Structures are given as structure tokens and as C-alpha cells.
Amino acid sequence: MNVISPKKLIEVALPLDKINAAAAREKSIRHGHPSTLHLWWARRPLAAARAVIFGQLVHDPEDLWRCQNPGKEPNAQVRGHWTKARARLFRIIEDLVLWENTTNENVLNTAREAIRESWRQTCELNKDHPRAKELFDPDKMPGLHDPFAGGGSIPLEAQRLGLEAYASDLNPVAVLINKAMIEIPPKFAGRPPVNPDARAQMRRTGWHGKGAQGLAEDVRYYGKWMRDEAEKRIGHLYPKVEITPEMARERPDLAGYVGQKLTVIAWLWARRVKSPNPVFSHVDVPLASTFILSSKAGKEAWVEPVIEKGGYRFTVKVGTPPVGAKEGTKLARGANFRCLMSGTPIGEDHIKSEGCSGRMGAKMIAVVAEGTRGRVYLAPTHQMETVAESADTTWKPDLKMPRDRRWFSPPLYGMPSYGDLFTPRQLAALTTFSDLVTQARERVKRDALGARIEGRGVSSENRPLSPHSSDLTPLAEGGSGARAYAEAVSVYLGFVVDKCSDYWSSICSWHSSKELIRNTFGRQAIPMMWDYAQAYQFCSSSGNWTSMLDWTWKALASTPAGWSGIAAQADAQNQSKSTAKFVSTDPPYYDNIGYADLSDFVSVHGGNRALQVGWTRGLDQCIAAEVLYRAAAR
């Protein structure tokens, strides 16, 4: 017996203009948006995912009527009803896709009821099916599965619309992102935070949070503890710069800062190689794509090289930059520069040879400090370089990047491993924060157990002050007690480290018009960056730890957390999770983005070491990449 299934709204019509407008607007939304939880490539807009799921699950009024009235011809009144009913569904979608309504329970409940009503209608149409009891229970909505979950937009929005969400992907990073969005938050929904500050506040006022807000508050608290502890350990690697009278004599704009110690927010470097000119072959010359530091009107600043004593040094000037400052030492696209000492062209082959022979280094060209009236640009000193290079690197990723220049340029220039993308000071920071994730996990577990002993009473909403049991079952084995909760918090703290790695690599550049640091993944690739910016983790500018932490806990706090979700690693061709479920997915595009290889960027560094809570062990993937076949053939 065939299943009777009316056409869905998505098969007939959708308010595409409204959906597209909402999806486009979503790109400008940051705090609280799930995309800020963790780096992923080619994320799908939540508005579009929400609209697609709704349109996929509700019936088109016309075809529903025809299925309910087989053989009958509709009159004008019935046709009018179709139009009105379709318009009502359109209005639901138009409200549903607005970002402001992401947490609007009135709007969401209207959409959820429309979905449930369509399911009840489907069950009624198929009540005589021989497997009706098994397949068409009007009181039990099927879950929704996305077999190519990726960044998790579809499973997350399915959960928001009241469905059990199931996500699977072959990529372990995608699996972990989906677990963090749809699986962990419901497990600890409604629970109060366990940190000491929150417990003291709850004793006075009770706990009034909902969803994953308690979990998010603990991520915020222990993330701040990590920041403060890290500064104690590695803060000496980031000294302030004192403005002296001598500096002000050359730069009148610094007069108001004399005697002050300014916080450095970025150190700017240029890679360098030996000059190809035999006369200057002993000189390491800079590969600078620009000497412009600030292009803001009225705040222009640039680096001016000074040739002296058979070498060179850098000074910083303010005002209108001279002709040529914008190009730095660059002659053309790609790896084409000129020798600063002689003007001799430096071609790609020479740079590759220098890099692959281990002779490519880097030189600091400027320092960016925080002033009372904006950025202050300063010339570097030998001491600054010495401090930066004094960092003790006890660990460095050694996984090799693919030699595929579409997505990975650094291996062509003597930087074969992911670890080569980080300076010693950046590796020291990532390792320190990674180690602190593990320590924070133990503190959370201790505080959760302490809160359980202390919190025998109830909150103002008659909830137990601490429902975290002494059960020590791991999170990966289904635990929900103190150990599992601590591991859950550490997942999100590890995510913060992952996010920081995007801003703490030598592929980050300085944005002269916005006066901030660009992240590593400005596009879906790891290009070669000739001049780069090194961020200060403990400041308030771009790339700092606190900003990454804020994005993470705020995204977590806004997750639905009301319905269960499961995420797992699975090959879409050989999985059974889709059985008896709705399926909604955006399948991958062949060879368009190197998801697997790019994901290794966050899989190999310190943040991932901190995420070893059982889920990421042994998650392997096999990909078919043309570059691997070519390498095997050689």
C-alpha cells in the first residue's frame, strides 16, 4: 500500500524575497549567532534553514485538500480557502525568518503547531496503512536528520522548531560542532551554574535562568579564570612600550604620551630572505606587501625603511604617505618583490628556494599600541624582537599540510606543517590556554561536587540549587553528573582556543583601513602571508581571548536546548540514522572547499588536545583528493 503524502509547501511556493532578505541580513549579526561558536566553512544561514524545514514539513493547502477529497472538483469557495491558508503559511515564514524572532516563543510555537498539524493530517490520511501504528503515530513526530550536517544550521533549526534533531557528518570537527549545538545544551538545560560567584548570588536571589544559560555562565566564568591565569604565566612575553622624550622629539604626535607605558595590541612583521643581488647577498631583505599602517583619513601612518651601515632599520611616520609606500617592496601579484637594498627583483623561484632551504625568517617592522585617542604606531626595537623570540615552545604540531596550492600556499615556501604557521610566542600562548582548559575542567568538576553538597535547598523557582550528581560517568558515555558537566564546559572552552588560533597565526594580516587584525581564514584557504600581525591576547582589540570567549558563551546561551539532539560521525552512504525520520540536507559541492584538510588546522593545535573528552578520539575520515593521487603516482 502506497503512502499518501500531499505536496509540501516548498514544492509549490515560498516567500523567497523575505527569506533571502533575512538570510542576507544575518551575515552582519555576531554576538549570539551560532556561527560564532566555532569556525566552519560555508555555513548556511539560519533563516534559510528554518524556512526550508518549515516548508518541507507543512502541506500545501491545495494538494492536502485533493488528497483528502480524491475525485472531487473544488468550487470557488474551496479555492479561496487555499489562497488564504497559503497566505497564512507565508506569514508564518516571514515572521519565522527574522533574527529578532529566533527566541520569540509565540512565533516559534505558531510554526511548531503548524508542523504538528500537518503531521496529524498525514497520519489521518494513512491510518489504514498496514504499518500505520509503527509509522504514523499522530502523537509522535519523527525526528529530522541531516546526513551532511557540516556547520549544523539545519539540525539546530529543526530543534528550534520542536523536532528531535539528528546530525551526522564524516568530518570530526563538524561532528563536535553539532554536539556542542544540539546534544550538550539539552542535556544540561535548566541547570544553574556551579561557579562560586554564581552560587553566592543564587543564595541571595535564586536561579532564574533557562535553557543553556547556566552552562553558558560557567563557560564565561571559567574562561575568565583561564584568561587571568594565562596572563600570570605568559604575560611577560608581551611587555608594554614606554614613550620616551627622544621618541616624542621625532614624533610630535607622541608628546602627550611621554612617560606612559602603552599596551601593545599588535606586533607587525615581514618575512625576509637573502637578497639575490651578490653585493647584498649577506642581507636578509623584507618581503613587505605594503608599508601602510593606517589609511584612515587624518590618521595616516606608514613604515619608512632607513638604509644605513650596509643594512636597514624601520621607522614609523605619520601624515600623508609618500608614493610607493602602499606597495611596500612588492612588484607584482604573488611572490614577486624587490630587494630593499638594491632594487633587484626577487622572483618566486628565489623565495621558494630560500624558504625550502630553511632560510626564510621574519623581521618586526612596526608596533601598534593602544592610545587614549586611538591607535599609536611605533617603530620596533631589538628588545621587542628578542622578547618575542624568547618564548619557550614545548609543543608544536607536526602534521603536514597538503601540497595543494588551491587551498594551501605555505608548503610551497618551506612551511610544510601546520605548526609552521605559528610563531614561538603564538605556540606558547596556544599551549598555555590549552593546558588551562584541562585545569579548568578539574575546577568545574570540583565546584560541581561542592555545589551538590552545599545546595540542599531550592531556588526561588523551586528548583534544586545544584542538580549535578556525583555520578562520574563521562560525557561521551552518556553521563550527566559532575564529571560530564565539567567535560561539557571544557568543550566550549576548547572551542575558544580554536577560535583564538584563527587570530593567533602568522597568516593573520593587519587591516590598515579598519586598524585591526584580519583572521587566518579571510577566505576558505590558508594563503601565504608575507607580512603578518601578531595579536596580544590580553588586550581589548581584535583577536583577544575575552572577545572570543564572549562570542562562544553568548552563542551557547542562545541555543534552543528544549528538545533532544544527537550528533555522530557517519558516512552518509552507509548510515541508518535516516530511517523513519525526516531528512533535510544541503549536500557538499564536489571539490569546492577542502573541508577535511582545512579542518586539520583546528584538529592539530592545542585547543584540540584539550577537547579529548572521548568524542574526538579515533574519529577518522577518508577523502578522495586529486592531489593525493598525483602524489601517490609520483
Side-chain angles (χ1 to χ4, degrees):
M1 182 176 180
N2 293 330
V3 172
I4 302 173
S5 180
K7 286 184 179 179
K8 306 305 177 186
L9 185 65
I10 197 171
E11 298 178 80
V12 179
L14 288 176
L16 293 178
D17 289 344
K18 297 289 187 180
I19 297 171
N20 290 338
R25 178 175 171 242
E26 205 174 294
K27 294 179 181 179
S28 63
I29 295 167
R30 288 293 180 265
H31 284 299
H33 194 283
S35 65
T36 63
L37 189 63
H38 194 281
L39 173 69
W40 187 253
W41 300 268
R43 280 186 179 272
R44 300 299 171 243
L46 303 186
R50 207 150 51 236
V52 165
I53 294 170
F54 182 82
Q56 177 185 348
L57 299 183
V58 299
H59 302 312
D60 177 69
E62 177 179 351
D63 206 58
L64 172 64
W65 186 90
R66 295 188 184 280
C67 289
Q68 291 173 331
N69 301 274
K72 290 186 179 181
E73 284 300 318
N75 56 30
Q77 183 178 4
V78 170
R79 292 180 183 277
H81 170 74
W82 297 342
T83 302
K84 291 179 181 178
R86 194 175 290 138
R88 174 180 170 273
L89 295 176
F90 272 34
R91 287 194 298 272
I92 292 175
I93 293 177
E94 290 166 5
D95 289 339
L96 196 60
V97 297
L98 296 177
W99 172 254
E100 293 80 3
N101 290 334
T102 304
T103 57
N104 186 323
E105 285 300 312
N106 290 331
V107 171
L108 292 172
N109 281 331
T110 299
R112 292 165 187 158
E113 179 52 35
I115 291 171
R116 287 192 292 266
E117 177 61 23
S118 286
W119 173 245
R120 288 191 291 267
Q121 291 165 346
T122 298
C123 294
E124 178 64 24
L125 288 169
N126 291 277
K127 63 183 180 181
D128 295 326
H129 192 281
R131 298 175 62 192
K133 187 175 181 179
E134 172 190 355
L135 299 177
F136 300 104
D137 182 351
D139 298 320
K140 176 63 177 175
M141 280 278 294
L144 184 143
H145 178 220
D146 182 354
F148 298 100
S153 294
I154 290 175
L156 181 70
E157 293 312 309
Q159 195 174 63
R160 200 186 308 278
L161 289 173
L163 287 84
E164 291 182 349
Y166 296 82
S168 62
D169 202 288
L170 196 57
N171 190 305
V173 175
V175 174
L176 197 54
I177 292 172
N178 278 273
K179 282 184 176 292
M181 291 202 303
I182 68 168
E183 187 169 325
I184 297 178
K187 184 181 289 288
F188 301 104
R191 296 197 190 182
V194 302
N195 70 76
D197 287 358
R199 281 158 51 190
Q201 178 67 27
M202 284 190 294
R203 284 193 290 269
R204 295 190 297 269
T205 64
W207 170 245
H208 304 284
K210 59 182 180 179
Q213 291 176 353
L215 178 61
E217 167 57 23
D218 277 335
V219 172
R220 186 203 64 77
Y221 176 90
Y222 294 100
K224 182 181 182 302
W225 172 83
M226 287 175 58
R227 185 252 182 235
D228 296 341
E229 190 65 25
E231 188 170 22
K232 296 175 188 175
R233 300 183 187 187
I234 60 174
H236 65 280
L237 296 175
Y238 307 91
K240 293 185 176 183
V241 57
E242 183 174 359
I243 307 301
T244 64
E246 292 76 15
M247 296 166 68
R249 275 197 291 270
E250 295 183 9
R251 291 267 305 277
D253 61 299
L254 298 178
Y257 296 109
V258 172
Q260 296 185 34
K261 290 186 176 181
L262 304 184
T263 298
V264 179
I265 62 172
W267 292 262
L268 308 185
W269 300 72
R271 302 193 196 276
R272 59 183 185 176
V273 297
K274 295 292 184 185
S275 171
N277 188 315
V279 177
F280 299 101
S281 60
H282 62 289
V283 180
D284 292 303
V285 293
L287 307 176
S289 59
T290 184
F291 284 137
I292 300 296
L293 299 173
S294 172
S295 58
K296 279 189 174 181
K299 297 183 178 180
E300 294 89 351
W302 76 95
V303 172
E304 184 171 279
V306 177
I307 310 296
E308 60 182 17
K309 300 178 182 180
Y312 62 92
R313 62 184 173 87
F314 293 114
T315 62
V316 171
K317 302 290 185 179
V318 295
T320 303
V323 176
K326 185 177 181 180
E327 288 74 29
T329 62
K330 200 162 180 55
L331 289 178
R333 284 174 56 87
N336 291 284
F337 294 84
R338 62 177 173 84
C339 171
L340 181 65
M341 304 298 294
S342 64
T344 302
I346 306 176
E348 182 179 23
D349 290 343
H350 178 77
I351 296 173
K352 285 182 177 179
S353 175
E354 288 289 290
C356 293
S357 299
R359 292 190 294 269
M360 181 184 290
K363 185 173 180 60
M364 193 181 297
I365 64 172
V367 171
V368 188
E370 192 70 74
T372 56
R373 298 178 297 276
R375 306 289 191 247
V376 176
Y377 297 93
L378 303 168
T381 66
H382 178 69
Q383 181 188 16
M384 293 178 185
E385 288 200 49
T386 301
V387 171
E389 293 168 353
S390 69
D392 182 20
T393 54
T394 59
W395 171 83
K396 178 182 177 180
D398 56 6
L399 181 68
K400 296 293 189 290
M401 285 181 276
R403 294 185 67 86
D404 187 338
R405 62 188 310 162
R406 293 175 301 168
W407 302 314
F408 299 90
S409 300
L412 302 174
Y413 301 97
M415 299 169 65
S417 75
Y418 287 95
D420 295 325
L421 301 177
F422 304 93
T423 69
R425 186 158 57 175
Q426 289 169 334
L427 284 174
L430 286 170
T431 303
T432 299
F433 276 99
S434 173
D435 292 342
L436 284 168
V437 172
T438 304
Q439 294 173 36
R441 182 189 308 158
E442 293 306 310
R443 293 177 74 90
V444 177
K445 184 170 72 172
R446 181 198 66 195
D447 290 344
L449 291 171
R452 174 180 174 270
I453 295 172
E454 174 188 294
R456 299 295 186 184
V458 296
S459 72
S460 60
E461 295 179 323
N462 204 36
R463 292 176 179 167
L465 280 177
S466 180
H468 301 283
S469 71
S470 58
D471 175 24
L472 297 182
T473 303
L475 182 64
E477 296 177 13
S480 60
R483 174 178 173 175
Y485 184 76
E487 290 175 344
V489 172
S490 73
V491 166
Y492 299 100
L493 294 176
F495 275 19
V496 182
V497 181
D498 284 352
K499 289 175 67 63
C500 287
S501 70
D502 188 28
Y503 281 86
W504 298 355
S505 85
S506 67
I507 307 301
C508 299
S509 59
W510 182 252
H511 200 306
S512 62
S513 63
K514 296 182 178 179
E515 295 187 294
L516 49 75
I517 293 176
R518 292 188 185 93
N519 61 321
T520 300
F521 289 99
R523 60 189 182 92
Q524 294 150 345
I526 299 179
M528 187 63 185
M529 198 59 62
W530 304 110
D531 32 23
Y532 58 89
Q534 190 173 41
Y536 177 41
Q537 291 82 0
F538 309 111
C539 69
S540 58
S541 185
S542 58
N544 73 85
W545 170 267
T546 300
S547 291
M548 304 301 162
L549 174 64
D550 285 348
W551 284 347
T552 301
W553 75 259
K554 288 179 181 179
L556 169 60
S558 68
T559 56
W563 286 264
S564 64
I566 294 176
Q569 188 181 36
D571 175 0
Q573 296 183 89
N574 302 295
Q575 52 84 24
S576 58
K577 295 185 181 298
S578 297
T579 304
K581 297 180 185 69
F582 299 119
V583 175
S584 186
T585 192
D586 181 22
Y589 303 100
Y590 170 74
D591 211 18
N592 189 41
I593 299 173
Y595 293 100
D597 291 326
L598 292 174
S599 295
D600 284 338
F601 178 85
V602 294
S603 296
V604 299
H605 66 64
N608 188 261
R609 290 193 303 143
L611 294 178
Q612 300 300 318
V613 295
W615 278 335
T616 56
R617 295 192 186 105
L619 291 182
D620 301 317
Q621 57 182 331
C622 180
I623 63 167
E626 183 182 357
V627 66
L628 297 181
Y629 289 115
R630 290 200 302 267
R634 287 197 297 270

